[in-house]
Amino acid sequence: MAYDFDKVIDRRGTSCSKWDADPNKTIPGVEYPVDRDVLPVWVADMDFEVAPEITEALAERVRHGIFGYTKVPDACYDAIIGWQERRHGWRIKREWITFTPGAVSAAHMAMQAYCQVGDTAIIQPPVYYPFYRTVHNNGGLLSCSCLRRSGSRYEMDFDDFERRAAEDRTTVFILCSPHNPIGRVWREEELERVGEICMRHGVRVFADELHCDIVMPGYRHIPFAGLNPEFAAHSITVISPSKTFNLAGLQATAAIIPDPEMRRRFENVKARNSLSDPNLFAITAMEVAYSRGDKWLDEVLAYIKGNYDFLVEYMGKKLPKVKVMPLEGTYLAWMDFSAMESDERALQKRMLTRGKVWLDEGWIFGEGGAGFERIVLACPRSTLREAVDRMARAFE
């Protein structure tokens, strides 16, 4: 490999949310002391060094020495457009693109743009937990069409989904694609069917596609809005280099909204919140990542696949009763510990106090998550090995 992903970088003392957060103040549901030396493998944040092409471009921008008001250059738009067509086969237009600080803020603005207080939004638990507060913070009601688990595979429950979509005040469906935390990459026929249900009942789709570039061999991410013009006209898609290239701290996110009226309403919400274009470092990093980041990403994907294979094998030796779910996309592994510990709070305490390993507890992702743990695979293999050793120690 041209890039060294085995390199361990000390992130403590850098104001890093992942490594410097106080677990006693950060972890939900904790009412007992947790040592500050717990190993954090929880938040979706890579422990890899950023692609050198990005670092060099940012350093060059710093050397310029002036950081005034900045506009988004044509080259940045071209990079986003080129990336989507090159990596995902979706041809988008410049005027469809607007910028937000992040996917969660974009989801909040979408709720404000397309929903009234008391309207309902559909989500598919177990799912990315900020979606819950996104709906509640804006006066909306949640409708949970839970994913069905059959063995080691999760599927959409289309009958239940349509029943919820048909309800009078259901206005938005929040699609997580690829799905976090279960790691599914939705097939074309699944997206087509859920999209047809939404179109039939006048439900707009907010497609969170932040993990779209992190897909395992044999799978292909399909942009929801790229399936047909009707889906595009009733949806907003959010993408970002934040997960793909570990740039979350720069707040560089693009919302792609093909329909002019939907785009106008979204832009009005942005204006009411006084949100402007990204900062100059976000613009620089986004342009370079999407124009020159292919080789780095290809190597990252191979390393993450290797980490997943290692996790399955090593867990099989250390904790054979734990089932690691299949990984199709994202760099997040979903592990079923229910055969080891039936009480989710006891499982959390065991991990934190006996194992001294900090994972994302399955119950925070909603119904169907109890008894699961989510672990980040975007880290040096030595870190992953240490995390498994600590999990095993929790059950000694």
Side-chain angles (χ1 to χ4, degrees), residues 74-145:
D74 292 341
C76 186
Y77 285 100
D78 292 343
I80 295 167
I81 293 167
W83 182 267
Q84 282 297 308
E85 183 166 10
R86 187 168 69 252
R87 303 291 299 200
H88 306 300
W90 184 25
R91 185 172 297 180
I92 64 176
K93 297 179 180 180
R94 172 179 171 147
E95 60 266 26
W96 297 357
I97 302 170
T98 187
F99 296 96
T100 75
V104 176
S105 60
H108 276 73
M109 287 187 282
M111 289 295 297
Q112 294 166 28
Y114 312 126
C115 300
Q116 301 293 321
V117 172
D119 283 352
T120 297
I122 302 175
I123 60 172
Q124 294 178 313
V127 72
Y128 183 52
Y129 51 87
F131 289 165
Y132 294 87
R133 68 173 182 264
T134 294
V135 177
H136 289 147
N137 287 352
N138 292 286
L141 303 176
L142 278 169
S143 182
C144 295
S145 182

Side-chain angles (χ1 to χ4, degrees), residues 60-325:
E60 182 179 349
R61 193 68 181 84
V62 168
R63 284 192 293 269
H64 181 257
I66 298 176
F67 315 117
Y69 294 116
T70 307
K71 69 181 186 69
V72 181
D74 292 341
C76 186
Y77 285 100
D78 292 343
I80 295 167
I81 293 167
W83 182 267
Q84 282 297 308
E85 183 166 10
R86 187 168 69 252
R87 303 291 299 200
H88 306 300
W90 184 25
R91 185 172 297 180
I92 64 176
K93 297 179 180 180
R94 172 179 171 147
E95 60 266 26
W96 297 357
I97 302 170
T98 187
F99 296 96
T100 75
V104 176
S105 60
H108 276 73
M109 287 187 282
M111 289 295 297
Q112 294 166 28
Y114 312 126
C115 300
Q116 301 293 321
V117 172
D119 283 352
T120 297
I122 302 175
I123 60 172
Q124 294 178 313
V127 72
Y128 183 52
Y129 51 87
F131 289 165
Y132 294 87
R133 68 173 182 264
T134 294
V135 177
H136 289 147
N137 287 352
N138 292 286
L141 303 176
L142 278 169
S143 182
C144 295
S145 182
C146 297
L147 298 174
R148 295 185 303 188
R149 180 182 168 188
S150 177
S152 61
R153 188 172 180 81
Y154 286 86
E155 302 284 352
M156 295 186 188
D157 185 340
F158 292 106
D159 292 337
D160 178 74
F161 185 90
E162 178 142 28
R163 180 179 63 79
R164 294 173 185 276
E167 293 175 354
D168 287 342
R169 296 200 64 176
T170 299
T171 53
V172 169
F173 164 46
I174 303 178
L175 169 68
C176 195
S177 178
H179 192 94
N180 172 12
I182 67 167
R184 274 297 315 275
V185 173
W186 302 116
R187 300 187 305 272
E188 183 172 347
E189 57 266 29
E190 291 172 309
L191 294 172
E192 287 276 8
R193 188 169 176 185
V194 78
E196 288 166 359
I197 292 171
C198 288
M199 299 307 104
R200 189 154 54 241
H201 298 288
V203 176
R204 291 187 174 91
V205 177
F206 178 89
D208 178 348
E209 300 188 3
L210 239 65
H211 293 270
C212 64
D213 303 316
I214 312 295
V215 174
M216 296 299 100
Y219 298 94
R220 181 173 70 92
H221 169 74
I222 300 172
F224 174 80
L227 284 169
N228 65 55
E230 185 180 14
F231 290 3
H234 293 84
S235 65
I236 167 175
T237 301
V238 177
I239 62 167
S240 175
S242 63
K243 303 303 180 189
T244 309
F245 294 98
N246 203 27
L247 300 175
L250 295 182
Q251 299 186 317
T253 299
I256 304 169
I257 315 174
D259 181 71
E261 176 59 19
M262 283 190 67
R263 193 164 59 249
R264 182 191 66 79
R265 291 170 66 172
F266 190 85
E267 292 282 6
N268 283 348
V269 173
K270 277 184 62 178
R272 288 203 302 271
N273 288 280
S274 193
L275 291 173
S276 56
D277 286 337
N279 68 73
L280 63 91
F281 296 112
I283 294 168
T284 300
M286 182 179 283
E287 178 186 332
V288 174
Y290 282 152
S291 60
R292 292 190 274 148
D294 293 80
K295 182 179 179 181
W296 186 88
L297 175 59
D298 290 340
E299 292 198 8
V300 161
L301 293 177
Y303 192 88
I304 291 170
K305 178 60 166 64
N307 267 359
Y308 174 75
D309 293 340
F310 169 81
L311 176 70
V312 172
E313 180 181 1
Y314 202 47
M315 288 288 284
K317 295 176 181 177
K318 291 282 188 173
L319 292 167
K321 291 184 179 180
V322 175
K323 185 170 184 59
V324 182
M325 296 293 109

Side-chain angles (χ1 to χ4, degrees), residues 4-9 47-49 303 379-383:
D4 182 9
F5 302 114
D6 286 322
K7 181 180 178 182
V8 177
I9 300 170
D47 285 322
F48 302 140
E49 213 165 33
Y303 192 88
C379 61
R381 198 150 301 157
S382 60
T383 302

